[in-house]
Amino acid sequence: MTQPLLTVENLNVGFATRSGIVQAATDINFEIFPGEVLAVVGESGSGKSVTALALMRLHPENTIITGNVNFDGHDLLNMSDRDMRAIRGSDVAMIFQDPMTAMNPVFSVGNQIVETIRVHDSSVSKQEAWTKAVDLLKLVGVPEPKQRVSQYPHEYSGGMRQRAMIAMAIANDPKLLIADEPTTALDVTVQAQVMEVLHEVQAETGSAMMLITHDLGLVAGSADRVQVMYASRLMETGSIDQIFYESQNPYTRALLESIPDIDGLNEELSPIPGNPPSLLNPLVGCAFRPRCKFAQDVCATEVPPRISVGVNHTSRCALALELPAPAGASAGDAS
């Protein structure tokens, strides 16, 4: 069996504040294999981006991180800053949520791609890097790349800026690409184009991808495996079919039930009641209990363990093996 490219064990991420420790990621365990797409979904504030930024070691000084992160034989959390900089942007790259703030407004897009290339390989001349920047923009579908490469980020549309960010992220052929909400604030047509570009890039480079999103419809047509997060914890992990058809977690089911069904125009939406809990105070019992229609007394006192409910399918729920069969949510409906 292929060895995992990335292994994350017992990852915990907290932020020290005046009010106390905000526990943003708790007991995170997962693997990503070469060439696969792992989607991470959940509501805003569930810990998706925090987990990714911890893997990249891009966090403020008040961050407290514990656990183990092994990437291709490298212990990322215990590497020196210099060694981490050599990996970050080269072997592991990230597409950030907002390309307008992630890119420097006073340098042209081409110069920023050139810098990304040459900082990891000084033997590449500026002219060679500039030619590669043009090729990268062409690869990701930016029109007239020879002209656009000299333009500044503000001269690009939202979709083009996202494509430019993808070009910058893949400039050094990373083994792992982390895409953090790559289609945020884009219309559905541009979303489809951006995802098509990502899949073409993945096919071209053979890289693995960690796709962070709250859009289950996007996941349905893009991922190999899915992990669902809520209130800093992984709630369920499985294949596309296991998550959409055979979910054994109340939170995952609630997410699926809240998706509008275009075939049932007269049906009411099923929103998840209540709000996510504050992560400032230690959670007692299951974090989803106040919003869960299946909750029982045991859910109020014990943090549920991750239970195996199938082949490579786990659920963090004390009742995971007792839940009734899913109502019939499907990947086709989600897409």
Side-chain angles (χ1 to χ4, degrees):
M1 184 176 179
T2 304
Q3 292 296 314
L5 178 66
L6 176 75
T7 302
V8 177
E9 297 177 332
N10 304 319
L11 179 66
N12 293 274
V13 183
F15 298 103
T17 70
R18 293 180 179 179
S19 301
I21 304 295
V22 176
Q23 194 63 36
T26 306
D27 191 26
I28 304 297
N29 293 269
F30 66 91
E31 298 173 331
I32 300 179
F33 291 86
E36 82 164 338
V37 179
L38 173 69
V40 185
V41 301
E43 294 173 85
S44 296
S46 60
K48 306 184 301 296
S49 297
V50 165
T51 298
L53 291 171
L55 303 183
M56 296 288 287
R57 294 262 299 271
L58 295 173
H59 46 75
E61 293 183 356
N62 67 327
T63 309
I64 303 168
I65 301 178
T66 60
N68 298 292
V69 177
N70 185 289
F71 170 76
D72 199 25
H74 301 284
D75 183 355
L76 296 188
L77 296 187
N78 291 311
M79 295 179 72
S80 67
D81 290 341
R82 180 176 180 178
D83 290 340
M84 187 64 204
R85 283 195 297 270
I87 288 179
R88 187 193 302 125
S90 177
D91 291 333
V92 184
M94 188 167 182
I95 303 169
F96 296 94
Q97 285 191 30
D98 185 358
M100 194 60 196
T101 56
M103 300 181 77
N104 194 321
V106 301
F107 291 101
S108 71
V109 171
N111 278 326
Q112 294 183 63
I113 297 176
V114 166
E115 181 184 21
T116 301
I117 296 170
R118 298 191 74 240
V119 76
H120 290 286
D121 188 355
S122 57
S123 67
V124 178
S125 69
K126 288 185 178 180
Q127 184 57 49
E128 290 172 333
W130 188 265
T131 300
K132 185 173 182 179
V134 173
D135 292 339
L136 287 166
L137 291 179
K138 181 179 180 180
L139 175 64
V140 299
V142 172
E144 301 179 338
K146 290 184 179 179
Q147 288 74 41
R148 292 287 188 179
V149 73
S150 299
Q151 293 183 330
Y152 292 81
H154 73 271
E155 298 179 272
Y156 280 44
S157 67
M160 286 174 59
R161 283 197 296 269
Q162 195 66 276
R163 292 168 189 263
M165 276 295 302
I166 295 172
M168 193 179 304
I170 65 172
N172 295 300
D173 298 325
K175 297 177 182 178
L176 174 63
L177 183 62
I178 300 175
D180 188 5
E181 301 279 8
T183 59
T184 296
L186 301 178
D187 63 60
V188 290
T189 302
V190 178
Q191 283 184 17
Q193 293 172 351
V194 168
M195 289 310 301
E196 183 178 358
V197 167
L198 283 173
H199 286 303
E200 289 176 354
V201 165
Q202 192 184 21
E204 183 83 14
T205 63
S207 62
M209 181 163 63
M210 180 178 177
L211 174 63
I212 299 170
T213 182
H214 59 268
D215 187 343
L216 285 169
L218 194 69
V219 168
S222 304
D224 299 306
R225 288 190 301 123
V226 185
Q227 57 187 32
V228 182
M229 291 191 70
Y230 179 76
S232 84
R233 294 182 183 273
L234 288 179
M235 301 298 282
E236 188 170 19
T237 301
S239 67
I240 285 288
D241 285 348
Q242 288 169 335
I243 296 298
F244 282 91
Y245 293 95
E246 305 166 10
S247 171
Q248 288 300 113
N249 189 277
Y251 177 63
T252 304
R253 293 191 187 184
L255 284 180
L256 292 169
E257 291 169 1
S258 67
I259 299 174
D261 183 359
I262 60 174
D263 295 325
L265 296 178
N266 296 322
E267 296 181 6
E268 293 185 1
L269 290 176
S270 300
I272 304 175
N275 296 296
S278 168
L279 300 179
L280 183 60
N281 301 311
L283 300 176
V284 178
C286 176
F288 189 59
R289 177 185 57 82
R291 310 172 73 185
C292 180
K293 62 184 178 183
F294 298 104
Q296 297 185 11
D297 292 344
V298 66
C299 305
T301 58
E302 299 179 10
V303 175
R306 292 179 72 192
I307 298 173
S308 176
V309 293
V311 179
N312 298 320
H313 184 192
T314 64
S315 173
R316 187 182 293 279
C317 176
L319 309 174
L321 298 175
E322 304 171 19
L323 294 177
S330 73
D333 294 338
S335 60

